[in-house]
Amino acid sequence: MASSERTGIPREIDRGIQLWRDRWSLLRLLYADRALLSALTGAQLLAALWPSAFALTVGWLAGRLGDVLGKEAPATAVVTPLVLVALCLLLEEATVALLGAAQIKAAGRVDGRARHRVRTFVLTCRGSTLLEDPEVADNVSRAGNITGDDHRSPGKAATGQLTLIFRILTAVVAAVLVARFSVILAVVLLFGSLLMRAVIRRQWMHLTEVKNGREHRARRARYWTDLAGGRAAAKEIRLFGLGDWAVARRSREALEWAGELWRVRYRVLKHQWPAVIIALVCSSSALFFPARAVVRGEMAAADLVTYLVAGATVITISRMGYEAFDIEYGLESVKALRELEERGTPSRQEAGSGRTGPGSGRPPAIHMENISFRYPGTDRPVLQNLDLRIEPGEVLAIVGKSGVGKTTLIKLLAGMYEPTSGRLTVDGSDLAAADVTAWRRRMGVVFQDFVKYPLSAADNVALGAPENAATPEALAAALEAGDARALVDSLPSGADTLLSAEWKDGVDLSGGQWQRVAIARALYAAQHGRDVLVMDEPTAHLDVSAEADFYRRIVAQASGQTVVLISHRMSTVRHADRILLMAEGRVAEEGTHEELMALDGDYARLFRLQATRFTIPEGGATPVLST
């Protein structure tokens, strides 16, 4: 229901009230830095007063020149007004310079605070479900695209709003000057100029509404731009000859986004005639009536200059400067940020009973009680009535076909998602009511799509427990445990080597090499107090020999932690304390490897199917290719 319908206020009045509230919210953004606001206001005040002062001094100079030319005054009579005109011009230049510097400084600080609020929202959302909502993604784009092509700068919007207020003050002061000649003319010029501005603003600002309403199209165009020109997909695009297709797709998305904008812009240009008529009436009135007064002898010719300059100053308020667009674009960023913060649930504001990771004692008992989960906007459940208990210090393996909910289960465990129904408890406490940030500090996770940070090898490992100061000994131990020590030692600068070829002196790693680094990161976390270690497809990029050795290393290094392994390769998890086979969002089979093989169900069938290619000796670490 619209706000006007809820309050009973007519729609136009309600829109006007909301407009004033929005504009006031922009000015409040500047209030946080009062010293800078004072400097900015002072510069704006000077800029508002000098046009009328200039009109008076130019009129005075014109009168003195007339007296000198008419032999009624000596030539020195023009010196004082001439000096004042020069001072007005110098004041204008100084004011413009001061105002420009103050605006840049103030806008930068406001934008910095806005960026901080966007980052805070993104980083402290309790889970990732909210961030995966397309509407939220659009608002993050609107709120965070401060330096992008759209220039949605809250800082520019705030300083633009202040500029607009003082531009109106400039017109009012000039209108008061015109009123000395004719009150009616002053009212006509001021009212006509404001009306002209309102008409122009209504036409052009509709373009802003259309542009912001098509943010999803803009994001798609940016995606295809990055895909066609970036490194991520460069190999496939060139290998399969997809360059022309990617560029064409990007062009199509860009046209889908811009086509409606062009049509709106064309309609605006076609309907400029009301503004043109108002402009002609105002400008002709400002020229005709003072000139007629001079011809009739009702006003001195020198005063004509003053009133023409003052009248022109009043009319300039109708001009749509950059500040109008800065206000509209930046206001959309502020509104988007407000909507984000109203929808978000920052975990740091929801301190509960969760413990911090380091020094927390024994691993927790985790219980998923009748958990069901489905993604927003879908009816198909990913998990259905799942009941699972993870014992402290247990090595639990979760296997199953792709798409049965294994990774979703891990995201629920990490507090990234909240269950649609049921609850997840940690040592008997509901995770939904706990401090999820503290809970995550007890976990070390290797996701299937782990992040490859463009940092040094040492930093890539140390980010597993960023609250601890990384020592060479701790990093070496984690690398050794993750079978990545030899790899890192072979790099040009050892652990200090930058792992990204996009930067100078950086190197690229293969998929398997990156996975070793990611495993070392998780083991580094385990060494620094993380008592729940989760690995999602940890051997996907490893060779067969490294995969066979993986389990032994993990169990040896993660002693005292709860370990959860997710894999579709049965050989990786066969020695786990307990194995779960998931199917259709439920636990279909459960037990040790021997128990599940004796059950002769789906687990046994899948294990035998994979074992047809490799034979793994019971006591050995090296698989033997079957013949």
Side-chain angles (χ1 to χ4, degrees), residues 300-518:
D303 292 335
L304 176 64
V305 177
T306 297
Y307 294 122
L308 287 179
V309 174
T313 300
V314 175
I315 294 174
T316 56
I317 189 59
S318 64
R319 180 174 57 86
M320 289 286 291
Y322 286 116
E323 78 279 351
F325 295 95
D326 288 338
I327 291 170
E328 294 303 321
Y329 286 132
L331 189 57
E332 289 300 324
S333 178
V334 174
K335 289 179 180 177
L337 180 55
R338 185 190 307 148
E339 290 179 14
L340 289 176
E341 293 177 334
E342 288 173 354
R343 292 190 61 174
T345 54
S347 59
R348 292 176 185 173
Q349 297 178 5
E350 298 183 0
S353 59
R355 296 175 297 175
T356 57
S360 59
R362 69 176 184 84
I366 304 168
H367 190 189
M368 293 186 173
E369 303 176 12
N370 202 31
I371 292 284
S372 293
F373 178 81
R374 66 174 179 271
Y375 288 95
T378 65
D379 296 327
R380 186 181 68 85
V382 181
L383 299 175
Q384 300 184 67
N385 304 318
L386 177 69
D387 197 90
L388 169 64
R389 187 172 185 85
I390 305 176
E391 300 297 338
E394 180 181 25
V395 178
L396 176 69
I398 303 175
V399 298
K401 297 179 181 178
S402 298
V404 297
K406 302 189 299 294
T407 299
T408 300
L409 187 150
I410 295 307
K411 290 183 178 180
L412 285 167
L413 178 62
M416 304 304 296
Y417 295 159
E418 293 186 0
T420 306
S421 62
R423 69 175 193 151
L424 191 158
T425 64
V426 179
D427 286 333
S429 299
D430 193 341
L431 185 59
D435 185 345
V436 73
T437 301
W439 166 238
R440 289 172 187 154
R441 288 202 171 199
R442 301 183 68 179
M443 301 185 69
V445 182
V446 177
F447 285 110
Q448 192 171 359
D449 53 348
F450 59 85
V451 179
K452 303 172 183 178
Y453 297 98
L455 303 171
S456 69
D459 287 340
N460 266 277
V461 174
L463 286 175
E467 71 280 3
N468 292 281
T471 64
E473 295 76 17
L475 291 172
L479 290 168
E480 185 69 35
D483 195 24
R485 180 68 179 271
L487 163 66
V488 171
D489 288 344
S490 68
L491 296 175
S493 300
D496 294 326
T497 303
L498 181 66
L499 301 185
S500 175
E502 292 188 43
W503 310 102
K504 184 179 180 181
D505 298 327
V507 299
D508 266 337
L509 299 183
S510 68
Q513 290 173 327
W514 261 117
Q515 195 146 39
R516 292 174 190 267
V517 173

Side-chain angles (χ1 to χ4, degrees), residues 515-532:
Q515 195 146 39
R516 292 174 190 267
V517 173
I519 292 171
R521 182 189 306 160
L523 293 175
Y524 180 84
Q527 293 171 1
H528 289 80
R530 267 44 172 197
D531 47 18
V532 179

Side-chain angles (χ1 to χ4, degrees), residues 55-56 172-189 282-312 314:
L56 289 171
V172 170
V173 172
V176 170
L177 188 57
V178 174
R180 294 174 55 191
F181 164 69
S182 171
V183 174
I184 295 177
L185 178 60
V187 171
V188 168
L189 291 180
C282 289
S283 57
S284 60
S285 298
L287 177 63
F288 174 76
F289 290 105
R292 187 182 68 171
V294 172
V295 171
R296 290 181 175 181
E298 299 172 354
M299 184 173 66
D303 292 335
L304 176 64
V305 177
T306 297
Y307 294 122
L308 287 179
V309 174
V314 175

